[in-house]
């Protein structure tokens, strides 16, 4: 857990362990060496939206018995989620911005209005909304996310900075982190790279993303760790366990946690 010698808390996004009962999940997370988790509040997961006000505090108490915290949830921003987070002691609701069909600028304006409307709920329940960048039909990089933060207090709305997605967008990690720093709520660690999925004889080249382990992608974890340590970041580092090869996720996440700790705690 967080202490003066080690200001970082390591969290695991448990999306890919949805079939583990809560107690088994707690043993797995604790045994792997994490301090806590990010928990999806979604249909078919350990906590579902319809029962979040009852089940989120229940699972938080169960996990606490294994010294595992819930640092964040990936969920909607319904008031029931805010209320459940407040009761369960969960400080952050993570969301992303889907561009959908009305275009980038319209999505940006719509999201700005939504975030402004959420500020009273953030204040009422003491829970922050964290907005994450994501490749594809989302706001994809640090600059785009920070446009949404303009005029909003970092006490209420923040940025969940994702290493892989900023790298996919071509951003240097030091620049991306500098851009979002005033609103940085959490650091997400994953890694990946582009590869050509068809041959040179194809009329049009096609490129896909391969999610890999921390040492082997476009996001440079040592530079990320160096930057946040230089700026005295104290908070959560979430390993999102995004792997194209999910069959070996248990081994990969244990290796990635050890790698991350070697960088952030040295």
């Amino acid at each position: 857990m967080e202490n003066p010698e080690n200001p970082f808390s390591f969290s695991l996004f448990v999306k890919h362990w949805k079939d583990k009962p809560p107690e088994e999940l707690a043993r797995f997370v604790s045994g792997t060496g994490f301090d806590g988790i990010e928990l999806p509040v979604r249909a078919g997961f350990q906590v579902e939206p319809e029962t979040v006000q009852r089940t989120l505090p229940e699972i938080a108490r169960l996990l606490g018995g294994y010294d595992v915290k819930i640092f964040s949830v990936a969920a909607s921003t319904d008031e029931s989620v805010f209320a459940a987070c407040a009761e369960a002691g969960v400080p952050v609701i993570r969301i992303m911005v889907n561009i959908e069909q009305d275009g980038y600028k319209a999505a940006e304006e719509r999201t700005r209005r939504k975030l402004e409307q959420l500020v009273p709920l953030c204040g009422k329940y003491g829970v922050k909304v964290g907005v994450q960048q994501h490749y594809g039909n989302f706001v994809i990089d640090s600059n785009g996310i920070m446009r949404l933060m303009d005029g909003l207090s970092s006490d209420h709305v923040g940025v969940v900075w994702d290493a892989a997605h900023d790298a996919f967008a071509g951003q240097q990690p030091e620049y991306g982190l500098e851009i979002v720093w005033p609103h940085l709520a959490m650091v997400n660690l994953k890694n990946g790279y582009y590869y050509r999925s068809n041959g040179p004889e194809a009329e049009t080249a096609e490129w896909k993303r391969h999610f890999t382990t921390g040492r082997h992608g476009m996001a440079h974890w040592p530079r990320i760790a160096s930057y946040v340590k230089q700026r005295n970041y104290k908070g959560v580092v979430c390993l999102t366990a995004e792997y194209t090869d999910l069959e070996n996720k248990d081994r990969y996440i244990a290796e990635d946690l050890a790698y991350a700790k070697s960088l952030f705690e040295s």
Side-chain angles (χ1 to χ4, degrees):
M1 294 298 177
E2 186 177 318
N3 58 64
E5 291 73 33
N6 174 26
F8 305 108
S9 297
F10 290 93
S11 180
L12 173 63
F13 183 35
V14 295
K15 175 177 72 173
H16 296 304
W17 289 271
K18 62 181 291 187
D19 295 328
K20 285 186 180 294
E23 192 157 0
E24 184 180 340
L25 179 68
R27 288 195 295 267
F28 170 76
V29 171
S30 177
T32 306
F34 285 95
D35 302 305
I37 65 171
E38 175 171 289
L39 184 68
V41 178
R42 300 171 184 169
F45 283 78
Q46 290 90 348
V47 172
E48 298 187 319
E50 290 76 11
T51 59
V52 62
Q53 289 189 262
R54 174 177 58 82
T55 56
L56 184 61
E58 286 177 353
I59 195 171
R61 286 191 290 270
L62 186 152
L63 292 170
Y66 290 84
D67 207 23
V68 172
K69 294 183 178 181
I70 304 176
F71 291 113
S72 54
V73 294
S76 74
T77 51
D78 296 338
E79 186 166 4
S80 60
V81 176
F82 276 93
C85 285
E87 184 176 345
V90 179
V92 175
I93 300 170
R94 181 178 65 85
I95 65 171
M96 296 183 296
V97 181
N98 194 326
I99 304 303
E100 298 178 349
Q101 297 179 351
D102 52 354
Y104 190 96
K105 296 301 293 182
E108 185 179 71
E109 293 170 8
R110 182 180 66 249
T111 304
R112 281 276 308 161
R113 291 194 300 271
K114 176 182 178 180
L115 293 174
E116 291 168 355
Q117 292 164 1
L118 290 175
V119 166
L121 289 178
C122 295
K124 177 180 178 180
Y125 291 103
V127 176
K128 182 179 292 188
V129 173
V131 189
Q132 182 209 311
Q133 80 275 42
H134 195 285
Y135 77 81
N137 296 323
F138 294 87
V139 174
I140 64 171
D141 63 3
S142 297
N143 276 305
I145 288 295
M146 279 305 287
R147 283 182 59 88
L148 301 173
M149 299 296 113
D150 187 35
L152 295 173
S153 170
S154 60
D155 292 336
H156 298 133
V157 181
V159 173
V160 176
W161 182 83
D162 191 286
H165 293 300
D166 238 24
F168 283 141
Q171 184 63 272
Q172 299 297 314
E174 297 87 353
Y175 300 158
L177 283 162
E178 180 185 2
I179 289 165
V180 305
W181 198 263
H183 278 75
L184 182 63
M186 189 163 67
V187 173
N188 268 8
L189 288 184
K190 64 167 74 80
N191 222 331
Y193 56 84
Y194 290 105
Y195 69 97
R196 184 166 175 173
S197 59
N198 59 356
E201 70 282 354
E203 184 174 339
T204 303
E206 294 180 358
W207 299 88
K208 292 186 178 180
R209 299 166 186 85
H210 183 92
F211 287 96
T212 185
T213 52
R215 297 175 185 269
H216 297 119
M218 296 167 64
H220 200 281
W221 287 17
R223 289 167 59 188
I224 295 164
S226 176
Y227 186 87
V228 299
K229 288 191 294 183
Q230 287 173 13
R231 296 202 60 169
N232 296 314
Y233 173 73
K234 295 177 176 64
V236 175
V237 177
C238 183
L239 278 67
T240 65
E242 193 68 48
Y243 305 115
T244 299
D245 173 22
L246 283 173
E247 288 188 8
N248 293 295
K249 63 183 183 297
D250 288 11
R251 174 167 64 87
Y252 293 155
I253 199 59
E255 293 171 354
D256 273 352
L257 178 60
Y259 180 46
K261 287 185 173 182
S262 75
L263 298 172
F264 283 80
E265 296 180 349
S266 62

